């Protein structure tokens, strides 16, 4: 169980620690995401503060709570907004972590392993900003693939069932995230958080045509599916039970809902993600490149290099893990999304 307040459950109240076991139950299952606490939030009232102010309050709370703050910076809208929030409000970040299979690209600047946002957004931004007191760590997780069964605890502890324990994306790059403390913080004994940009607000209108907020498991059972590791604590910047985060979710929900009501649920020429990025983030330096999203929860765009190295141990481990899932009775190509119960904002 990644945390006592995020898990799967069925209509009989049985609890499952991972999505595969929930699916194997054959029952109607749901995501439990701090449901008890979230029911106490005043969802129908929009906070009067601006989103930028709420982002600043959230950043300052995280800075004040932890002795050592790491930002996981991917170069997408979510993490870029977090970086700008800290930077332009003079809130210190101790370390910025950039992760990618960079050594596996056929040429510098390639997006073949989903590294285009690093080359085009991340590295130019970090060069432009004045960050003399912030450690910049660029981690290429593939260097640990030379001896994966020794380097990655999900493999050594669970064998072919590693697919149950690294999150909703059963992709090999999550082996690194599962052991993040081991790889970048083994000498760090400070009270440490690493910040993830999970997740934009999700709105639905299908229940009586009333707007409601819901949470999706993909956003919380990702990046290794581990929230605590000794002194390391994962913090989701936008989605947490603390009021500094629920205020952001409430504000985002009302901003998006107002826009959709006025514009008849959106501009047909824009994708849902484009609309959300425009409404929720006022970036001082707009992104110049966006990598396409992964289309499967089993094969990430970050790991395309594996298919050029089919004789490698990591490729065999990956395929064996997917075969194990298939033998359990469901296809790895299917996109399963478990939702939380809805929280109405009107």
């Amino acid at each position: 169980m990644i945390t006592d307040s995020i898990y799967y459950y069925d209509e009989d109240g049985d609890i499952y620690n991972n999505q595969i076991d929930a699916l194997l139950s054959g029952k109607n299952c749901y995501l439990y995401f701090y449901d008890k606490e979230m029911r106490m939030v005043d969802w129908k009232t929009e906070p009067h503060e601006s989103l930028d102010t709420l982002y600043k309050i959230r950043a300052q709370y995280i800075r004040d709570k932890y002795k050592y703050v790491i930002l996981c910076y991917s170069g997408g809208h979510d993490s870029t907004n977090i970086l700008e929030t800290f930077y332009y409000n003079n809130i210190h970040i101790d370390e910025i972590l950039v992760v990618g299979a960079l050594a596996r690209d056929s040429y510098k600047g390639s997006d073949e392993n989903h590294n285009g946002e690093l080359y085009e957004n991340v590295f130019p931004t970090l060069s432009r900003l004045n960050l003399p007191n912030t450690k910049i760590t660029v981690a290429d997780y593939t260097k640990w693939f030379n001896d994966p069964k020794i380097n990655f605890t999900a493999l050594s502890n669970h064998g072919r069932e590693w697919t149950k324990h690294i999150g909703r994306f059963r992709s090999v790059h999550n082996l690194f995230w599962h052991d993040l403390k081991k790889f970048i913080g083994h000498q760090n004994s400070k009270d440490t958080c690493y910040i993830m940009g999970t997740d934009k607000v999700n709105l639905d209108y299908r229940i009586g045509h009333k707007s409601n907020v819901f949470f999706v498991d993909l956003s919380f059972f990702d990046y290794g599916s581990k929230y605590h590791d000794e002194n390391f604590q994962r913090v989701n910047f936008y989605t947490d039970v603390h009021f500094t985060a629920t205020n952001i979710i409430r504000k985002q929900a009302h901003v998006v809902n107002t826009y959709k009501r006025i514009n008849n649920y959106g501009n047909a020429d824009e994708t849902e993600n484009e609309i959300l990025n425009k409404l929720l983030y006022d970036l001082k330096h707009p992104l110049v490149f966006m990598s396409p999203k992964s289309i499967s929860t089993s094969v990430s765009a970050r790991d395309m290099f594996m298919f050029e190295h089919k004789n490698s141990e990591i490729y065999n481990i990956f395929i064996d893990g997917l075969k194990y899932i298939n033998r359990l009775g469901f296809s790895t190509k299917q996109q399963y999304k478990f939702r939380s119960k809805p929280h109405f904002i009107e």
Side-chain angles (χ1 to χ4, degrees):
M1 185 178 296
I2 57 174
T3 170
D4 292 339
S5 295
I6 311 177
Y7 52 80
Y8 299 95
Y9 68 100
D10 61 31
E11 61 265 32
D12 298 321
D14 294 327
I15 291 175
Y16 307 92
N17 297 331
N18 61 79
Q19 190 216 45
I20 293 176
D21 286 341
L23 288 168
L24 290 175
S25 73
K27 300 179 181 179
N28 292 324
C29 291
Y30 308 91
L31 170 70
Y32 187 97
F33 181 74
Y34 297 100
D35 285 15
K36 179 180 178 181
E37 293 85 353
M38 289 298 180
R39 282 196 296 268
M40 300 174 66
V41 174
D42 181 11
W43 292 104
K44 295 184 179 181
T45 301
E46 177 179 352
H48 66 271
E49 300 93 340
S50 68
L51 276 172
D52 283 348
T53 297
L54 293 175
Y55 295 148
K56 176 184 177 180
I57 293 171
R58 176 70 173 155
Q60 189 64 61
Y61 164 75
I62 294 171
R63 176 69 272 176
D64 292 343
K65 182 174 181 180
Y66 294 94
K67 297 296 184 181
Y68 195 83
V69 173
I70 302 170
L71 172 61
C72 301
Y73 180 34
S74 68
H77 284 86
D78 303 321
S79 63
T80 300
N81 182 64
I82 300 170
L83 173 61
E84 289 195 352
T85 297
F86 275 85
Y87 183 79
Y88 289 107
N89 288 292
N90 297 312
I91 303 172
H92 179 59
I93 302 172
D94 296 287
E95 184 172 354
I96 294 175
L97 173 63
V98 182
V99 178
L102 294 164
R104 303 291 180 144
D105 290 335
S106 59
Y107 62 92
K108 184 178 180 179
S110 168
D111 195 39
E112 61 197 284
N113 292 302
H114 209 278
N115 292 322
E117 291 180 354
L118 304 188
Y119 295 119
E120 301 293 338
N121 299 333
V122 169
F123 298 138
T125 297
L126 294 179
S127 296
R128 181 176 62 247
L129 300 182
N130 181 27
L131 294 164
N133 300 315
T134 296
K135 179 181 179 182
I136 307 298
T137 300
V138 179
D140 187 333
Y141 51 86
T142 61
K143 70 180 182 180
W144 289 287
F145 284 169
N146 292 328
D147 205 344
K149 291 182 180 177
I150 291 178
N151 289 327
F152 299 116
T153 60
L155 300 180
S156 58
N157 292 339
H158 304 292
R160 63 174 47 179
E161 289 193 357
W162 64 270
T163 50
K164 286 186 176 183
H165 300 278
I166 63 165
R168 282 280 279 102
F169 274 101
R170 265 80 67 166
S171 190
V172 295
H173 80 277
N174 281 331
L175 294 168
F176 166 85
W177 289 105
H178 189 73
D179 288 325
L180 184 64
K181 159 75 176 178
K182 171 183 176 181
F183 294 123
I184 74 158
H186 62 284
Q187 295 180 328
N188 179 351
S189 60
K190 297 179 180 179
D191 187 15
T192 296
C193 76
Y194 60 100
I195 304 172
M196 292 289 189
T198 304
D199 180 32
K200 293 184 183 70
V201 67
N202 293 293
L203 282 184
D204 195 4
Y205 304 87
R206 290 179 291 181
I207 305 176
H209 300 289
K210 292 184 178 180
S211 303
N212 66 85
V213 172
F214 64 94
F215 303 98
V216 179
D217 65 333
L218 187 63
S219 303
F220 307 104
F221 289 86
D222 60 356
Y223 290 102
S225 199
K226 185 185 287 186
Y227 276 64
H228 309 277
D229 191 349
E230 297 179 347
N231 61 307
F232 265 43
Q233 167 74 44
R234 168 174 165 170
V235 170
N236 295 321
F237 186 86
Y238 302 104
T239 42
D240 193 5
V241 70
H242 193 266
F243 76 89
T244 58
T246 57
N247 283 348
I248 288 175
I249 305 168
R250 289 165 55 212
K251 185 69 175 186
Q252 288 183 339
H254 283 274
V255 167
V256 174
N257 186 57
T258 298
Y259 173 87
K260 288 193 171 185
R261 294 294 191 191
I262 293 174
N263 293 278
N264 196 25
Y265 300 95
N267 186 335
D269 295 328
E270 294 179 297
T271 67
E272 178 78 6
N273 209 44
E274 287 172 336
I275 293 171
L276 291 176
N277 289 331
K278 178 178 68 176
L279 292 174
L280 304 182
Y281 305 138
D282 183 20
L283 299 182
K284 290 181 171 56
H285 297 280
L287 305 186
V288 299
F289 183 85
M290 291 182 63
S291 296
K293 299 295 184 182
S294 300
I295 60 174
S296 168
T297 57
S298 297
V299 184
S300 171
R302 301 179 188 277
D303 298 326
M304 292 299 99
F305 68 88
M306 285 197 307
F307 297 97
E308 301 296 326
H309 300 83
K310 293 185 178 181
N311 60 340
S312 64
E313 184 178 12
I314 194 64
Y315 178 80
N316 293 331
I317 287 170
F318 171 69
I319 294 300
D320 189 49
L322 298 190
K323 287 181 178 178
Y324 165 74
I325 295 175
N326 282 332
R327 283 194 290 271
L328 293 178
F330 60 91
S331 170
T332 58
K333 295 181 180 179
Q334 291 176 278
Q335 296 284 327
Y336 296 100
K337 291 183 180 180
F338 288 117
R339 294 184 172 194
S340 69
K341 291 300 178 75
H343 305 285
F344 290 96
I345 68 171
E346 60 179 20

